[in-house]
């Protein structure tokens, strides 16, 4: 297309657009919180109804497989069908007193952080009755932002580990790092300090073990249960706090019309050689968590009913997020 | 998958799920209204900034082509690049006094109805300075629901009609029907009365002309400008009012635990032989309008900046509607 050619971009206008975009994103986040709060009483009622339908969540996850990027294998599906009793999604960083009528993002904490609980009945695969995964929405000092999490220990029964040792290895690495002074997982490292930490991480036997297993275990690597060891970018609460303060400062400077310091621009944010990349057992973890929390959880009834039953009580599910139905024609 | 096999469905539980789903959909609709109201002041500021960037909307529509199901041809693109000055999206059925802090769907009218205004400077294709398309979210007595609209007259200059006569023909059919007693476009027809109306419509020369043109004009038929003659299901305000009352009554009956009357179930809602199907000049009209209003309009800055400029003021555009970014890894 030739559209771009005719565009003469005023740099100041671009700065303004970026600021406006940041404000629109804040509204999006606030809306996420409001919708969560408004849905909560309806979803609580839904849990009672779902309790009367054995296998509800297994059907939902089967029908929603496309949203999970095919992370669910036939073996995972079998576990869900035979043992998954309840799923629930919480927003641990929305303050308990928040109301849908509140206005202002500061009233809602960080609504994008989620806890996803999977409840299981006694089964042949593992001894846990609940697998609870909390993912925190965090900003990094490298200007990254996304969901990060700690690996969950799954107590697999002998010979039944669907991840072929990966969740154990990922958990062992994390546990070692937590106790190792060189790793400073609770710190706010950047630049050379981060590089030194990463270099030390790569020397840990537990790190090497995860790398080795990821190389060997193609089948194990694709089980959905690796979701429970997803970590994402290693970003501590401390680093998040500092990085958010920096974002605010940049915004304030932009609002005041000040150009950013050149030194800032020069930091090598694009260097993607973080130690965590080579030991991530579930790369789509951020996206899968967002799919579960923002799509599968609120729309579970639609996924369950799918094409099997034609509902005639709905008056308005035609133009929600997904726009791929053509209501009247064709 | 074998999940379905183990499911024993309690019919009462299914009714409950359908009711809960209807309530969740109501929250979705209310959230749409709140987000529109909360975004409004930011989007008003955005219009002033956009005014400083010639070609802004042409770039947006180029970059958003995938969301429009490839409805934009190179010729359409040229018109946008050379003449499109401003786009705006309004919600004509949200009452002017509505506030984002209001609670309850009844406070927000029908937030899914939209007006999309395209402003053009003087150009070689048509003499209109604004093409304004209003789409109303309406329920039909056949239990359909979706956006419906009246065709807009585009005053094409001689030899410049990108739709090769289709928008004129669609407009002529609509104008004829409005004045023809047999058509009752403002009525609330159902069953045999609707069938009789449809049979009469098919005899109108203007109807036959649209059918003929649609058969002949493959190129004309794919221009985005046919969007302005999109009609959707022919559903009047009157039919919408009656159909919504019926939906409410069905919901109330379901809430009271009453089964639906068998006669209702027997109506042949699935018979898709409506007269409008054969003369629809823009079948994806509902979806395209929803894409423009709910995605392209609020996210225009993202579409404009796309990959060209790396914004560093955004703190949270990573997990909005589209979840296809993997923030830190890969």
């Amino acid at each position: 297309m030739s559209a771009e050619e005719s565009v003469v971009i005023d740099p100041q206008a671009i700065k303004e657009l970026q600021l406006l975009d940041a404000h629109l994103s804040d509204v999006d986040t606030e809306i996420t919180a409001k919708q969560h709060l408004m849905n909560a009483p309806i979803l609580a009622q839904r849990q009672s109804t779902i309790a009367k339908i054995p296998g509800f969540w297994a059907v939902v996850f089967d029908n929603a497989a496309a949203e999970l990027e095919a992370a669910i294998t036939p073996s995972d599906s079998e576990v869900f069908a035979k043992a998954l009793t309840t799923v629930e999604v919480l927003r641990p960083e929305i303050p308990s007193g928040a109301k849908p009528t509140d206005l202002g993002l500061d009233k809602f904490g960080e609504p994008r952080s989620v806890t996803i609980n999977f409840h299981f009945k006694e089964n042949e695969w593992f001894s846990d009755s609940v697998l609870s995964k909390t993912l925190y929405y965090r900003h990094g000092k490298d200007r990254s932002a996304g969901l990060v999490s700690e690996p969950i220990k799954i107590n697999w029964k002998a010979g039944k580990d669907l991840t072929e040792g990966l969740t154990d290895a990922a958990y062992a690495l994390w546990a070692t790092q937590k106790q190792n002074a060189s790793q400073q997982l609770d710190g706010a490292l950047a630049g050379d300090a981060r590089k030194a930490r990463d270099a030390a991480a790569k020397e840990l036997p537990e790190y090497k073990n995860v790398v080795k297993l990821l190389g060997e275990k193609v089948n194990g690597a694709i089980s959905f249960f690796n979701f429970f060891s997803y970590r994402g970018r290693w970003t501590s609460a401390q680093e998040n706090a500092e990085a958010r303060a920096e974002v605010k400062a940049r915004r304030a400077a932009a609002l005041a019309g000040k150009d950013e310091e050149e030194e800032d621009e020069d930091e090598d944010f694009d260097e993607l050689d973080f130690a965590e990349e080579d030991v991530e057992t579930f790369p789509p973890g951020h996206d899968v968590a967002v799919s579960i929390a923002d799509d599968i959880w609120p729309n579970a009834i639609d996924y369950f009913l799918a094409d099997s039953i034609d509902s005639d009580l709905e008056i308005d599910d035609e133009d929600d997020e997904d726009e791929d139905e053509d209501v009247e024609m064709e």
Side-chain angles (χ1 to χ4, degrees), chain A:
Chain A
M1 310 291 152
S2 60
E4 318 322 85
E5 295 162 27
S6 62
V7 178
V8 182
I9 300 179
D10 168 359
Q12 183 54 33
I14 298 295
K15 290 258 172 214
E16 284 174 33
L17 285 183
Q18 290 171 341
L19 266 174
L20 291 163
D21 206 28
H23 291 149
L24 290 168
S25 289
D26 285 352
V27 171
D28 264 353
T29 307
E30 191 174 343
I31 282 290
T32 299
K34 285 180 188 288
Q35 186 152 24
H36 174 78
L37 294 167
M38 289 167 70
N39 277 345
I42 308 171
L43 295 180
Q45 268 193 280
R46 188 182 67 174
Q47 293 295 67
S48 329
T49 299
I50 290 174
K52 296 185 249 176
I53 306 175
F56 178 91
W57 288 106
V59 172
V60 167
F61 277 91
D62 270 358
N63 289 345
E67 313 303 319
L68 295 170
E69 313 194 6
I72 297 186
T73 65
S75 301
D76 297 334
S77 236
E78 192 189 351
V79 179
F80 288 170
K82 291 193 177 163
L84 182 63
T85 55
T86 305
V87 171
E88 59 191 341
V89 172
L90 311 171
R91 302 278 176 170
E93 297 194 314
I94 297 182
S96 58
K99 293 185 299 290
T101 50
D102 288 340
L103 267 191
L105 190 47
D106 55 323
K107 300 281 178 36
F108 297 103
E110 177 45 87
R112 290 167 292 189
S113 295
V114 294
T115 296
I116 308 174
N117 294 328
F118 293 78
H119 296 258
F120 296 92
K121 60 183 160 193
E122 204 164 324
N123 65 69
E124 63 194 271
W125 291 276
F126 44 78
S127 59
D128 309 274
S129 59
V130 187
L131 296 177
S132 177
K133 181 77 173 166
T134 293
L135 304 102
Y136 296 98
Y137 194 92
R138 287 195 179 150
H139 291 267
K141 289 174 83 85
D142 61 344
R143 304 197 182 176
S144 65
L147 292 170
V148 308
S149 186
E150 297 183 356
I152 299 306
K153 171 90 178 148
I154 302 178
N155 293 288
W156 297 103
K157 293 182 178 173
K160 287 299 200 170
D161 180 352
L162 295 175
T163 71
E164 301 178 11
L166 258 176
T167 50
D168 284 349
Y171 184 83
L173 169 58
W174 173 80
T176 297
Q177 287 182 287
K178 289 292 271 188
Q179 296 184 329
N180 186 317
S182 80
Q183 295 301 295
Q184 296 194 50
L185 284 192
D186 294 329
L189 305 182
D192 287 342
R194 185 159 190 116
K195 281 179 192 160
R197 191 278 310 279
D198 281 12
K202 290 177 181 184
E203 295 306 316
L204 296 170
E206 291 82 359
Y207 183 99
K208 292 177 178 172
N209 189 39
V210 175
V211 173
K212 180 170 151 284
L213 286 175
L214 279 171
E216 289 169 4
K217 307 282 185 184
V218 174
N219 287 331
I222 59 174
S223 166
F224 175 78
F225 285 90
N226 286 306
F227 173 68
F228 295 101
S229 24
Y230 167 75
R231 290 175 65 170
R233 176 96 163 72
W234 296 344
T235 313
S236 68
Q238 176 68 25
E239 179 174 348
N240 174 57
E242 294 180 17
R244 284 184 193 241
E246 290 168 11
V247 170
K248 277 198 181 165
R250 279 198 299 276
R251 273 212 214 179
L255 265 176
K258 282 190 216 133
D259 268 339
E260 215 172 331
E261 303 290 324
E262 281 308 313
E263 305 92 277
D264 272 338
E265 301 277 17
D266 286 345
E267 291 184 36
D268 51 353
F269 298 124
D270 294 329
E271 196 181 318
L272 288 168
D273 187 27
F274 298 116
E276 49 260 58
E277 283 183 84
D278 295 331
V279 288
E280 177 58 62
T281 56
F282 201 80
H286 171 99
D287 294 345
V288 166
V290 170
S291 284
I292 294 174
D294 288 358
D295 176 15
I296 298 174
W297 169 247
N299 300 315
I301 296 173
D302 295 335
Y303 282 113
F304 177 72
L305 298 176
D307 309 76
S308 60
I309 292 152
D310 204 12
S311 167
D312 52 29
L313 292 167
E314 303 159 17
I315 71 165
D316 31 48
D317 64 345
E318 282 81 8
D319 68 346
D320 299 349
E321 258 60 11
D322 46 340
E323 301 145 22
D324 42 8
E325 308 119 288
D326 209 352
V327 181
E328 320 81 344
M329 304 287 154
E330 72 184 54

